[in-house]
Amino acid sequence: MNIHPKRIAILGSTGSIGTQALEVIASQPDFFSVEVLTAQRNADLLINQSKRFRPKHVVITEETLYPKVKEALQQLDIQVHTGKEALLEVVKIPEIDIVLTAVVGYCGLAPTIAAIEHGKDIALSNKETLVVAGELIMALAKQHQVNILPVDSEHSAIFQCLPGEEINPIEKIILTASGGPFRGKKRDELLQVSKAQALKHPNWTMGAKITIDSASLMNKGLEVIEAKWLFGLEAAQVEVVVHAQSIIHSLVQFEDGSLKAQLGLPDMKLPILYALSYPKRLKTDFKRFNFLDYPQLTFEQPDMDTFQNLSLAFAALQKAGNMPCVLNAANEIAVAKFLEDKVKFLEMSDVIADCLAKIPYIEKPSYQEYVQTDAETRRLALELCGK
Ligand code: MG
């Protein structure tokens, strides 16, 4: 047992991963305590969570909601902060052992960098951070000797296959994809699909952005890029296979041809727990997998002609430089506009492809150049969505 429970900061505590992380933490009070909670605008849930978990610091980034949160927590020994900049400050608090980055999108990048620079381990749920600036993040993590512990189920699976293999190079990794709600559909069947249809994921319950990304296979594209950086691979060493049941969470192939996989029911609580408890495995009462409930596990090639986002992601990774950053920013705008019914499902790929073609290439971007690339791409993507 630790000398003290591991002290955790959760960025994005009111989202899907944040709330599940708090369930995990509540079930392991000897091992974990909550030091910081942050939310963008869900003040009511943040207040409830704070009353229950008693963090030392709370951030509500939306400034208009600050008085409400401040007032609700004033009797408790909790400091309340507001504004985006506050995220960069709270991750530096000396008492924090690990930062769970459960915010969605590009906004996770700056607080993650601040946390790494202050020596905090990262439980990485915000995959966009590595998509946008993987090279920079991994170099910083090495420099500051912090662990980047994956929360994404596929990357957690691979990470769980690696202990004991330190001297053995990876030949390739195979990321499994559920295929999402539109698996097996062709382009003409996807022309008019609605937001409600895209939001119905067959296996996983997740936030809106990642659910749309799963339906378009962009989520898998982002994960390919995330995996490249996390595991130090070449683009050609990352493969995707569609596995509709989401039981095999991903596989590693070593140079002797042996494959290792991690299996389990689709439940994010397990990868969240492993990232927080690593290298230890803690006892849980999570539902156990039964092979007899799944007499068939199936595998198929991803359909990249229909789901062009996946091939766009491979292309962006191949070009490298600032192109994955462009891919991500264009996708964030396209998904937001799809959720507002302003662009159609298949048009999201057109917006992204256009941005990849038009934004100037930078081979080795600095942090500032990533920031510029992101802003420029968002402007262009908004323009393209407005047509
Ligand atoms: Mg995943």
Side-chain angles (χ1 to χ4, degrees), residues 368-382:
Q368 267 321 314
E369 287 170 322
Y370 281 122
V371 173
Q372 282 160 13
T373 297
D374 179 78
E376 254 179 78
T377 307
R378 278 167 202 270
R379 269 196 300 276
L380 175 59
L382 277 173

Side-chain angles (χ1 to χ4, degrees), residues 13-235:
S13 66
T14 57
S16 172
I17 294 293
T19 51
Q20 293 181 78
L22 285 172
E23 276 182 59
V24 167
I25 290 166
S27 69
Q28 305 280 357
D30 291 344
F31 293 95
F32 304 130
S33 70
V34 177
E35 200 68 25
V36 174
L37 293 177
T38 85
Q40 199 181 0
R41 55 181 72 251
N42 192 342
D44 292 327
L45 183 54
L46 181 65
I47 290 165
N48 286 341
Q49 291 176 339
S50 302
K51 287 180 175 167
R52 179 164 174 213
F53 289 92
R54 301 297 175 97
K56 302 277 181 341
H57 297 267
V58 161
V59 180
I60 180 86
T61 42
E62 172 58 49
E63 293 178 16
T64 56
L65 295 168
Y66 172 73
K68 178 178 180 172
V69 178
K70 173 89 178 150
E71 154 135 33
L73 301 179
Q74 68 182 354
Q75 303 298 338
L76 307 173
D77 184 22
I78 297 175
Q79 291 189 46
V80 182
H81 314 266
T82 189
K84 267 197 262 174
E85 298 299 308
L87 294 182
L88 306 181
E89 294 305 316
V90 289
V91 295
K92 300 176 183 172
I93 292 165
E95 287 74 24
I96 298 169
D97 298 308
I98 185 165
V99 176
L100 171 62
T101 62
V103 294
V104 179
Y106 174 83
C107 66
L109 179 62
T112 305
I113 290 175
I116 294 171
E117 286 175 340
H118 286 79
K120 312 301 183 190
D121 282 341
I122 305 293
L124 185 96
S125 172
N126 178 261
K127 64 190 83 185
E128 292 90 345
T129 293
L130 285 185
V131 173
V132 170
E135 192 164 14
L136 190 147
I137 293 289
M138 295 314 285
L140 265 184
K142 197 170 169 195
Q143 183 192 338
H144 294 275
Q145 297 182 315
V146 307
N147 291 310
I148 308 282
L149 304 153
V151 170
D152 213 341
S153 60
E154 295 80 358
H155 305 74
S156 176
I158 291 161
F159 188 62
Q160 292 182 55
C161 291
L162 295 180
E165 304 286 1
E166 291 74 15
I167 60 166
N168 296 319
I170 293 171
E171 187 168 83
K172 69 175 184 185
I173 63 172
I174 301 149
L175 297 179
T176 52
S178 70
F182 303 140
R183 183 174 61 88
K185 297 253 188 287
K186 293 292 168 197
R187 288 184 74 79
D188 55 341
E189 298 169 272
L190 295 177
L191 287 171
Q192 302 300 337
V193 291
S194 69
K195 161 171 101 178
Q197 289 170 296
L199 283 169
K200 270 211 183 85
H201 196 278
N203 302 342
W204 296 96
T205 311
M206 306 176 290
K209 197 256 176 183
I210 185 174
T211 306
I212 300 302
D213 283 345
S214 295
S216 71
L217 289 203
M218 180 54 95
N219 183 50
K220 211 49 55 181
L222 300 178
E223 289 181 355
V224 167
I225 302 172
E226 181 188 10
K228 181 225 151 52
W229 292 116
L230 265 176
F231 303 112
L233 304 171
E234 297 302 320

Side-chain angles (χ1 to χ4, degrees), residues 317-329:
L317 180 56
Q318 209 56 261
K319 282 192 204 146
N322 62 338
M323 288 297 116
C325 176
V326 172
L327 177 92
N328 178 69

